[in-house]
Amino acid sequence: MDNDVSGRRRSRWKVVGALAAAAMVVGAGVFWWVVTPPPVENAGRALPKTADADLIARGKYVAELGDCVACHTAPGGHPMAGGLPLETPFGVIYSTNITPDAKDGIGKYSFGAFDRAMRHGVTADGRHLYPAMPYPSYAKVAPDDMYALYAYLMQGVEPVAAPNKPLGISFPFNQRWGLAFWQKAFMDNRGFEPDPTKDAVWNRGAYLVEGLGHCGACHTPRGIGFQEVAMSGRGPNGDKFVSGAKVEEWNAINLRDLWTVPDTVELLKTGQNRFATVSGSMTEVIHNSTQHFSTDDLIAIATYLKSLPTAHPHEVTPLPVDDAVPEAMFTTRGGLAYAQFCTDCHRLNGAGVPKVFPPLAGNPTVMSDDPATLIHITLSGWKTAETNAYPRVFTMPGFARLDDQEVAEILTFVRSNWGNKAPAVTAEQVKKARALIDPKIDASKFETPRLANLLNEPNAKQLVWGMRLNTETHTLLPKNVGDVLNCTSCHLNGGTVADGSPYVGVSAMFPSYAPRAGREITLEDRINGCFLRSMNGKALPKEGEDMKAMVAYFNWMKGATKPEDKVEGRGVGKIDKNIKPNVENGKLVYAAQCAVCHGADGEGLQDAKGNFVYPPLWGDKSFNIGAGMARTYTAAAFVKRNMPIGFHEKFPLGQGGLSDQDAVDVAEFFTHMPRPDFAPKVNDWPKGGKPADARY
């Protein structure tokens, strides 16, 4: 269900062009037979001056079932006032004003005229509507539901004087009579017909999926006239209904026999379940529509979808997650690129982070034969649905900065590990998708090293080990790490992120004078300083193979950097030390932005097996008071540019974004919480210059 509703709209626009073109070759005699609109029915059923409150409430719920607000509300506009631009291959179409305004909206529509527009796609003045509005599905809406919807739109929605915008489509595609020809050829205006062999729950689900929910608009293949080849799971082509469809650069997945009923209910209610998280504008469907459905209706929908047979059934239980890292992670270009760019959110085991970042193991979008949606998300990014269950929105930035081959390598790795068995992705597929999507590319001047290129070096094995010691430090070096941090806890993505303490060029600066030590130190000294302080552990032997591997990794990161060079994005930047911290606000910022990953009490986040996913920010398993991160303004500068992740669209982690004041406040809060002592602190800054925010 990780598809995009804007893609759904675009698929309908293909219909628009095809119909208009077909209209140009229709004979005059046929023309008059075709364009004669259907008669207005139910003309005598009028609303009372003040409709019953229960009827309006029911109509509001029907509007949510039909997701009317998604298309008929422009960004920042009044609800139902239209004006949403809908891009088509032939120009721009704008959604219409359906508020009860008498001049610009539908205020003068009788119920009969409204009913005809909804079921037949014909306006009150006889114009044919473009099938962007899914009237082929709405034809199945029960009369009482249609009347309730009419009551709600007429008396439960504020009238808005917002003129409808003219079509931005040129001749011949603006010839609406071609739509009438299509309607005569392909539409079935019969209402929903219950199946007497099925129970009430199944029939309710079928009614919602086939009708108001218009799921087939995205998930059913299209025919020669771009019509949905089936409008229900019964009758001719019934096996094709919601069986999955390509919607330009998106792949709308097969909904038949979908997971278990509870899994589908959870996804429709919250936007995520143990298999997947919705993406693209499907997030709008969850936010505006399905999260508001009653539990009974969600169960009915899931029951109906589960009953539809398919040749490609979905997994109904999570695939086993092995904590062991796949061998290909560190022996293939795709694996190393995944380790660099993806593990902070999706983890080395592909399990994701429950309630935060989706799993890749067993994810239907990942395993789909058609990788269109996966490629689209990778290039253009993704956001979680904002729901009552999960009000915090998490963001994956687009990875369009990676070239086509790099994206193909990563996605091929993802689709062939942790039990996933899907075809490889090719650079050509990525290239074609990129041309269609035209994604934005981050204009940062920072040159992100590609860890995949480690495999090109003669000492590749040593370099990869050095990289792993940075990213899996507390697991691979338990005798030297006294807490549960990794080097990459502060040096993001293996030290390859601008303003995230990157290693780029760092080894060129050593040996160098260190004010805290009061002497010149080597790179090995600096590395061991982190083990002693940030890791609250023990130093590595300087001549040991582990230290040599880490130094080799740093030297590879150095590239051609010279000591006098200025490296773009080095360090974590600065923050104004004149900003006075407000600890009370810091508590609020922590609760709102940090606790989801680091725990309400700073204890960190662990998976079901007790392995740490994100580290503690205070307590015995966190960094000690001798660490640079224990200082308010150092921590604030790091937080300002690097935390939280998944906060917006900045490459590569959606990192940073808090205000300077909030960063200082939250840093003051967590740096002054209890943490381990550092006995050798008495030897720090022997020649003076101790910072004012040092903890000792």
Side-chain angles (χ1 to χ4, degrees):
M1 302 186 76
D2 297 27
N3 64 295
D4 183 80
V5 83
S6 64
R8 175 181 66 192
R9 294 166 184 152
R10 289 192 205 100
S11 71
R12 296 178 191 149
W13 303 134
K14 289 183 178 181
V15 177
V16 172
L19 304 180
M24 305 308 294
V25 298
V26 178
V30 177
F31 171 81
W32 288 112
W33 170 74
V34 169
V35 300
T36 303
V40 174
E41 300 173 353
N42 300 306
R45 189 173 186 182
L47 279 177
K49 188 172 182 179
T50 303
D52 180 76
D54 289 342
L55 178 64
I56 293 176
R58 177 179 175 182
K60 181 176 184 295
Y61 183 62
V62 172
E64 290 171 340
L65 291 172
D67 199 15
C68 303
V69 72
C71 287
H72 290 280
T73 306
H78 293 280
M80 305 295 190
L84 181 72
L86 305 167
E87 299 288 342
T88 84
F90 316 104
V92 180
I93 292 177
Y94 296 90
S95 63
T96 55
N97 184 339
I98 58 170
T99 73
D101 184 77
K103 179 182 178 183
D104 300 318
I106 60 172
K108 293 184 177 180
Y109 271 56
S110 66
F111 174 62
F114 175 78
D115 187 70
R116 183 177 69 168
M118 290 292 291
R119 296 184 191 281
H120 299 278
V122 179
T123 65
D125 58 6
R127 289 178 298 116
H128 291 273
L129 294 170
Y130 288 102
M133 190 183 85
Y135 48 80
S137 297
Y138 291 160
K140 295 178 180 290
V141 176
D144 286 348
D145 279 347
M146 192 71 80
Y147 186 68
L149 177 61
Y150 176 68
Y152 167 66
L153 291 175
M154 288 301 185
Q155 297 186 13
V157 173
E158 178 186 356
V160 178
N164 290 308
K165 296 183 179 181
L167 293 177
I169 296 179
S170 58
F171 184 86
F173 305 112
N174 60 355
Q175 301 300 297
R176 291 178 181 263
W177 62 273
L179 302 175
F181 180 75
W182 180 84
Q183 290 170 358
K184 290 287 187 181
F186 298 115
M187 271 195 64
D188 179 356
N189 296 112
R190 287 178 297 177
F192 175 74
E193 298 176 357
D195 185 337
T197 68
K198 304 292 186 181
D199 63 19
V201 172
W202 186 96
N203 276 298
R204 176 65 175 172
Y207 170 69
L208 293 174
V209 171
E210 297 172 7
L212 283 163
H214 57 281
C215 303
C218 279
H219 294 273
T220 299
R222 299 275 174 168
I224 191 171
F226 296 95
Q227 82 283 9
E228 296 168 50
V229 297
M231 297 302 298
S232 76
R234 295 161 285 177
N237 292 324
D239 60 330
K240 300 294 194 301
F241 182 65
V242 296
S243 63
K246 184 68 174 288
V247 185
E248 290 195 348
E249 65 271 23
W250 293 94
N251 176 49
I253 68 169
N254 178 5
L255 301 184
R256 301 173 71 92
D257 192 13
L258 184 64
W259 303 318
T260 66
V261 168
D263 286 322
T264 301
V265 167
E266 182 181 8
L267 186 132
L268 293 174
K269 190 71 176 178
T270 70
Q272 54 187 269
N273 64 16
R274 55 185 169 151
F275 298 100
T277 300
V278 297
S279 63
S281 290
M282 185 65 192
T283 59
E284 297 174 19
V285 176
I286 302 295
H287 174 71
N288 294 318
S289 184
T290 61
Q291 72 160 323
H292 303 295
F293 292 9
S294 69
T295 299
D296 286 346
D297 278 349
L298 290 174
I299 291 173
I301 290 169
T303 299
Y304 172 67
L305 293 175
K306 183 64 180 173
S307 75
L308 299 177
T310 178
H312 303 286
H314 297 265
E315 295 286 344
V316 295
T317 56
L319 293 170
V321 175
D322 188 347
D323 287 332
V325 179
E327 181 180 354
M329 183 78 73
F330 305 113
T331 59
T332 65
R333 289 183 57 83
L336 283 172
Y338 176 88
Q340 176 177 1
F341 292 112
C342 312
T343 53
D344 262 3
C345 299
H346 300 291
R347 317 311 299 166
L348 288 169
N349 60 5
V353 181
K355 302 180 181 180
V356 183
F357 300 117
L360 300 181
N363 188 309
T365 294
V366 172
M367 297 190 297
S368 173
D369 287 342
D370 185 343
T373 295
L374 188 61
I375 294 172
H376 193 298
I377 292 171
T378 304
L379 291 175
S380 61
W382 154 94
K383 290 183 180 180
T384 59
E386 180 183 355
T387 63
N388 293 328
Y390 301 117
R392 166 76 178 274
V393 174
F394 288 91
T395 301
M396 170 180 156
F399 282 77
R401 284 188 67 180
L402 306 187
D403 65 34
D404 297 339
Q405 183 61 37
E406 288 177 300
V407 172
E409 289 168 351
I410 292 173
L411 298 187
T412 295
F413 170 81
V414 167
R415 284 160 63 84
S416 59
N417 281 282
W418 313 298
N420 296 339
K421 296 178 181 179
V425 174
T426 67
E428 184 62 25
Q429 287 175 303
V430 179
K431 180 180 179 180
K432 289 180 179 178
R434 192 188 296 267
L436 280 170
I437 299 164
D438 190 23
K440 296 179 181 178
I441 297 181
D442 188 337
S444 171
K445 295 180 181 179
F446 181 77
E447 292 296 330
T448 305
R450 304 293 203 263
L451 299 189
N453 291 334
L454 293 173
L455 297 178
N456 299 337
E457 303 297 332
N459 62 333
K461 186 175 181 179
Q462 181 188 47
L463 291 172
V464 170
W465 183 245
M467 182 275 291
R468 292 190 64 186
L469 292 176
N470 274 269
T471 57
E472 304 169 74
T473 321
H474 87 267
T475 302
L476 299 180
L477 296 172
K479 295 181 180 179
N480 298 91
V481 179
D483 52 31
V484 294
L485 274 71
N486 301 307
C487 298
T488 197
S489 299
C490 297
H491 304 274
L492 305 184
N493 282 11
T496 65
V497 175
D499 299 314
S501 293
Y503 299 145
V504 179
V506 165
S507 69
M509 312 301 170
F510 289 91
S512 64
Y513 179 78
R516 187 170 61 184
R519 60 181 175 84
E520 185 176 85
I521 64 171
T522 64
L523 178 59
E524 290 84 351
D525 292 329
R526 183 67 185 86
I527 291 171
N528 273 334
C530 284
F531 275 98
L532 294 170
R533 298 167 185 266
S534 297
M535 306 292 183
N536 192 38
K538 299 178 181 179
L540 284 176
K542 290 187 178 181
E543 297 302 319
E545 294 304 314
D546 291 332
M547 177 64 81
K548 289 180 179 179
M550 295 186 80
V551 170
Y553 179 59
F554 274 77
N555 285 335
W556 180 82
M557 286 279 190
K558 178 178 67 175
T561 307
K562 300 179 180 61
E564 63 272 17
D565 290 345
K566 181 180 179 180
V567 179
E568 182 79 22
R570 184 183 176 195
V572 294
K574 304 292 183 182
I575 201 160
D576 187 356
K577 294 183 180 180
N578 292 315
I579 298 174
K580 302 301 180 185
N582 179 337
V583 177
E584 291 306 311
N585 182 55
K587 291 179 182 178
L588 297 176
V589 173
Y590 182 87
Q593 304 295 349
C594 313
V596 67
C597 290
H598 296 288
D601 296 313
E603 71 276 17
L605 181 66
Q606 295 173 270
D607 64 19
K609 295 183 179 180
N611 301 313
F612 274 89
V613 177
Y614 295 121
L617 288 189
W618 63 83
D620 292 341
K621 294 182 179 180
S622 187
F623 52 87
N624 64 43
I625 64 169
M629 203 61 72
R631 293 164 46 193
T632 296
Y633 292 96
T634 299
F638 177 82
V639 168
K640 164 71 179 175
R641 293 165 181 83
N642 299 288
M643 291 290 134
I645 61 173
F647 194 55
H648 50 64
E649 298 176 356
K650 183 178 179 181
F651 176 87
L653 292 167
Q655 72 273 17
L658 299 183
S659 69
D660 288 18
Q661 184 67 58
D662 283 350
V664 170
D665 294 348
V666 75
E668 177 77 3
F669 169 66
F670 76 76
T671 58
H672 286 72
M673 296 299 283
R675 62 185 64 261
D677 193 12
F678 181 59
K681 63 182 182 294
V682 296
N683 299 319
D684 288 351
W685 293 287
K687 298 181 180 180
K690 183 173 74 171
D693 60 346
R695 286 287 305 274
Y696 47 91

